């Protein structure tokens, strides 16, 4: 069955960096676009970034553009999100999610359980 | 960015009730709308896409309708497992945006 398992979250000071990982299994990872979505405490979902099946194209939300970078390793079936210059308002649970297609249709049919990033001094 | 507004924010209901949740988009999104269910501490689950297409494995008591700027999610007969938060999401264009969620509680 499809499984997405995030890791790499934790408590980090403002201005520091973190790299999140999402290990995929149970499907052909290299056939799907992949996304990162976050949810701040008590808030709604916020889409962050997408990467095409082959890694050739990425798109990011303006709120994280220039600070967060999405990437993937199709040999190891892992999705990444590099978080730089972290701020207090980046505190959230970060989810990886699979797109229904190869590119960025924008429908998320499987999600991981999330990893918590807490930015605090 | 396209703003998605859901109503109500919270809905009190009982098992067996018919429940309707509304989602409005700030501009027309045709039928590019999905609905998700989320339980506390869990990942969202896709219920409906393209406004009214039921995701595989989702019970038929869930249905969606609408187009343009106004959409509804209906649960025909609420079951104990359905007490959760529901959110809509537009995928007409980047950036994809979500509604703030509707909590269905007893």
């Amino acid at each position: 069955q499809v499984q997405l398992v995030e890791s790499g979250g934790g408590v980090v000071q403002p201005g520091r960096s973190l790299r999140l990982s999402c290990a995929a299994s149970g499907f052909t990872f290299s056939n799907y676009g992949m996304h990162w979505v976050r949810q701040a405490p008590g808030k709604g979902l916020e889409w962050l970034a997408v990467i095409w099946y082959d890694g050739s194209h990425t798109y990011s939300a303006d709120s994280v553009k220039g600070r967060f970078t999405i990437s993937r390793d199709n040999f190891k079936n892992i999705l990444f999100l590099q978080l730089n210059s972290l701020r207090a308002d980046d505190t959230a649970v970060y989810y990886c999610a699979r797109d229904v297609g190869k590119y960025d249709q924008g429908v998320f049919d499987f999600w991981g359980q999330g990893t918590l990033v807490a930015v605090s001094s | 960015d396209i703003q998605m507004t859901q109503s109500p924010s919270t809905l009190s209901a009982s098992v067996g009730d018919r429940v309707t949740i509304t989602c409005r988009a700030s501009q027309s999104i045709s039928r590019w709308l999905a609905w998700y269910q989320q339980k506390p501490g869990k990942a969202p689950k896709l219920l409906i896409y393209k406004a009214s297409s039921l995701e595989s494995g989702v019970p038929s008591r869930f249905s969606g309708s609408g187009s343009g700027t106004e959409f509804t999610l209906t649960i025909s007969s609420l079951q104990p497992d359905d007490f959760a938060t529901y959110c809509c999401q537009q995928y007409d264009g980047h950036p994809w945006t979500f509604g703030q969620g509707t909590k269905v509680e007893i």
Side-chain angles (χ1 to χ4, degrees):
Chain A
Q1 72 280 22
V2 173
Q3 274 203 306
L4 298 169
V5 179
E6 301 94 337
S7 61
V11 180
V12 61
Q13 293 179 327
R16 303 298 290 265
S17 299
L18 213 54
R19 188 172 84 155
L20 306 182
S21 300
C22 169
S25 60
F27 66 103
T28 304
F29 180 68
S30 57
N31 281 354
Y32 290 87
M34 295 293 298
H35 302 260
W36 287 98
V37 178
R38 71 182 176 184
Q39 188 168 35
K43 302 292 186 182
L45 297 163
E46 179 187 13
W47 172 79
L48 298 178
V50 61
I51 185 167
W52 284 12
Y53 72 105
D54 59 356
S56 62
H57 289 73
T58 64
Y59 300 97
S60 301
D62 286 346
S63 60
V64 301
K65 201 168 289 183
R67 295 193 304 127
F68 293 5
T69 303
I70 189 171
S71 61
R72 65 191 298 160
D73 183 335
N74 281 350
F75 294 103
K76 296 183 178 178
N77 294 344
I78 303 177
L79 176 73
F80 299 102
L81 186 68
Q82 178 69 39
L83 289 66
N84 295 332
S85 303
L86 282 162
R87 312 186 300 225
D89 63 357
D90 293 319
T91 294
V93 175
Y94 286 72
Y95 296 101
C96 64
R98 191 182 82 167
D99 195 281
V100 294
K102 282 179 174 254
Y103 305 104
D104 54 339
Q105 281 191 233
V107 178
F108 317 119
D109 62 351
F110 287 96
W111 299 62
Q113 290 301 302
T115 187
L116 176 63
V117 173
V119 183
S120 173
S121 54
Chain B
D1 298 1
I2 299 173
Q3 308 301 316
M4 306 301 292
T5 305
Q6 287 181 236
S7 60
S9 297
T10 307
L11 190 159
S12 295
S14 301
V15 172
D17 284 354
R18 181 181 182 87
V19 165
T20 298
I21 298 168
T22 297
C23 177
R24 288 186 174 87
S26 60
Q27 66 189 66
S28 177
I29 57 170
S30 185
R31 293 176 58 81
W32 304 119
L33 185 100
W35 288 96
Y36 299 87
Q37 176 194 66
Q38 189 175 22
K39 296 181 179 179
K42 301 290 187 182
K45 174 186 174 183
L46 176 64
L47 299 175
I48 286 169
Y49 60 96
K50 208 171 180 184
S52 61
S53 296
L54 200 65
E55 173 70 350
S56 176
V58 174
S60 59
R61 62 181 180 272
F62 291 93
S63 64
S65 65
S67 66
T69 62
E70 189 151 338
F71 303 85
T72 58
L73 172 71
T74 299
I75 309 172
S76 60
S77 177
L78 200 65
Q79 298 302 299
D81 191 50
D82 301 338
F83 290 94
T85 297
Y86 295 85
C87 70
C88 59
Q89 175 236 333
Q90 68 80 19
Y91 55 103
D92 184 58
H94 300 147
W96 296 293
T97 48
F98 294 84
Q100 80 280 14
T102 294
K103 185 177 181 180
V104 177
E105 60 184 22
I106 300 172

